[in-house]
Structures are given as C-alpha cells and as structure tokens.
Amino acid sequence: MAEAAHNMPATFDKRERIVSRRLMDRLFGGGSSRSMSSFPLRAVYTVMERGSHDAPVQVLISVSKRHFKRAVKRNRVKRQIREAYRNNKSLAYDALTPTPDRALAVAFIWQADRLYDTAEVNAAMQALLTRLAERLERHAACSDKPKTEPTTATENDG
C-alpha cells in the first residue's frame, strides 16, 4: 500500500523484533519511554542509540490473557497487529530517516476485550504510527535548533 512509494520491503524480520530482556526493561521500567493510544492499541516507545546490527525500529507485540483466555484468539490478534505494522512500518522508518544514529523501540499492547476486523486494527495502527512519526519529527526539530545565548537587559538598551 504505502510501501510502493517508499521502496521499502513489507517484511517483518527477526532483527525487527524486541527479544532482549534488557531492552524490554528499558522500555517498560525506565522513565524515558512515552505512551500513546489509538483504541484498541496502545504504543509504548522510546528513542535510543542505534547499534550496528539493530534495525531502525524494533517492535514487541503483547496481547494479555486478561483480554483473551484462549490462545487461538490471542494469536489471531497478534497476527493482525503484525500484519498492520508490516504494512505501515514505512511511517515510522521515514520519521527516523533524518537521524540515522537513533533507533526506536515500540511495544504494541492490545487493550480491548473483543476481536476487531483486520481493517479496524490496520486503521488504529496507521493512526498510531502517524502520530508517533509526528512526535519524532517534532522532537528531532527541537533538538536540531542551535542553542542561543540569552540577551541581558544592558545589551538591549544599546
């Protein structure tokens, strides 16, 4: 869909998945992570230094037993989230293009107690990734501005 314009393969490789316990602890335990929601999904994310073998964006998908007791339903939801991310991941990648030394770790957490159509999950994922990209671009623009020296009252009287 959007990937044709960006020439990005619509894949979801192993190196794009969060498997490191240390990274999970940093994502959920540290104070540097941020959160946003587009029901039925919630995204918890943090920006970090990019390692040489890391993908620019690493993803974790979580569906709680509290919402779905049966593994079949949890697996269906995880499959829908993976597919929605895979189809829309260019939104997150494009936001990180200006800062190649930075990486993004995102956890997508399911919040609803019922199943949704794939189109609804896709729309929620698109909304989340668009808002996330806007925040990243705003953050990059703020950090790129040069620091100016404050002027004193005597200089302005001139």
Side-chain angles (χ1 to χ4, degrees), residues 13-143:
D13 294 336
K14 172 128 174 117
R15 63 186 207 107
E16 290 182 90
R17 298 171 198 260
I18 295 177
V19 292
S20 162
R21 172 65 77 184
R22 198 169 71 214
L23 184 52
M24 287 181 213
D25 290 343
R26 182 174 174 191
L27 191 59
F28 292 109
S32 65
S33 57
R34 303 272 181 244
S35 175
M36 64 176 63
S37 186
S38 176
F39 200 77
L41 286 171
R42 179 171 158 240
V44 178
Y45 68 95
T46 187
V47 179
M48 57 192 182
E49 293 293 321
R50 183 174 174 192
S52 59
H53 299 295
D54 292 341
V57 181
Q58 290 184 305
V59 175
L60 174 105
I61 296 170
S62 174
V63 181
S64 175
K65 275 187 185 179
R66 180 177 38 168
H67 297 298
F68 298 111
K69 299 293 184 211
R70 299 195 179 262
V72 171
K73 289 184 178 181
R74 286 195 307 274
N75 291 340
R76 175 179 183 242
V77 171
K78 285 190 270 188
R79 196 167 35 251
Q80 286 177 312
I81 296 170
R82 265 196 315 270
E83 185 70 7
Y85 171 73
R86 189 182 68 78
N87 287 328
N88 296 296
K89 72 179 181 178
S90 64
L91 295 170
Y93 275 75
D94 290 347
L96 286 172
T97 302
T99 55
D101 59 329
R102 307 299 265 163
L104 180 68
V106 186
F108 292 109
I109 303 166
W110 187 260
Q111 294 182 307
D113 288 330
R114 70 174 184 89
L115 296 172
Y116 281 79
D117 288 340
T118 301
E120 292 173 297
V121 176
N122 198 29
M125 177 66 72
Q126 210 166 14
L128 269 178
L129 290 176
T130 302
R131 285 176 37 215
L132 182 62
E134 289 169 1
R135 279 197 192 176
L136 290 173
E137 287 167 359
R138 231 180 307 136
H139 180 71
C142 291
S143 63

